Amino acid sequence: MKQAVRSYAQVLYDLHVPAEDIEKTKAVLLENPNLQTVLENPLVSIQVKKDLIDKVFPEKIRNFLKVACSRQRASLLSDIIKTYKEYADKENGVLRADLYYVTAPDQAQSEQIETFLQKKFHVQKVILQKKEDKSLIGGFLLQADGIEYDFSLRGRFLKLKQNLIRR
């Protein structure tokens, strides 16, 4: 199934469907779980599904959704949209990263982190999601592309504890 999700996400990207149409589609599916159930249901005719798609979804994504339904892939739509975003980011040189902190970084610190990530991951743009986390005690924790950089006091305490236990 993962390969199917990736393939559909790539096709969606190649179709150049506007990002706002994809976001609206995601919102419609989240707000109407019964709609998702109908699209997935093999007992509902494909014509009924197509008519429903024409009434509910943005025009430029309708054909994609109809094909997904006719191939019984409607259950994958939320995963396809998520994977589409990841694929689009990669194709456009964008990296999304999470920064957890106790004290919010100032503008200069944020720019330094973004510059570090641009160089490390060879991307043009970094979208840094900043989140407060008092459990870090101090410092920060940076997660990007499955890699974690732990510069927190909590992380240092844990590392020290592991080193002491190993002795």
Side-chain angles (χ1 to χ4, degrees):
M1 285 297 180
K2 283 189 174 192
Q3 182 56 42
V5 169
R6 281 193 295 269
S7 296
Y8 275 85
Q10 186 174 354
V11 167
L12 186 57
Y13 178 81
D14 291 341
L15 289 172
H16 303 291
V17 174
E20 56 270 8
D21 288 357
I22 293 170
E23 283 301 315
K24 183 167 183 179
T25 299
K26 178 182 172 185
V28 167
L29 291 171
L30 285 173
E31 292 168 7
N32 303 288
N34 291 335
L35 175 61
Q36 179 77 35
T37 304
V38 170
L39 295 177
E40 292 176 18
N41 191 333
L43 300 177
V44 176
S45 76
I46 191 63
Q47 190 56 50
V48 168
K49 292 177 185 180
K50 287 180 178 181
D51 292 343
L52 186 59
I53 288 168
D54 285 336
K55 291 177 184 172
V56 175
F57 295 100
E59 182 179 352
K60 293 186 178 176
I61 198 167
R62 290 177 188 163
N63 286 336
F64 176 84
L65 294 173
K66 290 174 185 178
V67 170
C69 285
S70 68
R71 295 192 178 159
Q72 299 175 344
R73 300 292 194 203
S75 63
L76 304 176
L77 287 174
S78 63
D79 290 335
I80 290 168
I81 291 171
K82 180 182 178 220
T83 304
Y84 157 83
K85 289 180 181 181
E86 293 167 0
Y87 184 81
D89 283 348
K90 186 174 181 182
E91 289 296 306
N92 294 311
V94 175
L95 174 71
R96 294 182 187 274
D98 294 317
L99 176 67
Y100 299 90
Y101 60 84
V102 175
T103 304
D106 61 27
Q107 185 66 27
Q109 290 169 324
S110 294
E111 288 173 5
Q112 286 177 331
I113 292 168
E114 290 174 14
T115 301
F116 162 75
L117 291 170
Q118 286 173 323
K119 289 179 182 175
K120 177 75 175 170
F121 292 96
H122 309 289
V123 294
Q124 298 168 355
K125 183 178 179 184
V126 172
I127 298 175
L128 196 57
Q129 190 77 248
K130 299 173 188 169
K131 302 171 186 174
E132 184 179 37
D133 184 352
K134 297 285 187 187
S135 73
L136 296 175
I137 305 169
F140 64 92
L141 177 73
L142 180 62
Q143 295 175 335
D145 201 25
I147 299 173
E148 185 173 274
Y149 302 93
D150 192 346
F151 297 99
S152 70
L153 288 178
R154 180 183 69 193
R156 290 180 187 187
F157 289 145
L158 289 173
K159 195 179 267 187
L160 178 61
K161 180 180 175 182
Q162 288 173 347
N163 288 338
L164 290 172
I165 291 173
R166 288 186 190 147
R167 290 184 170 187

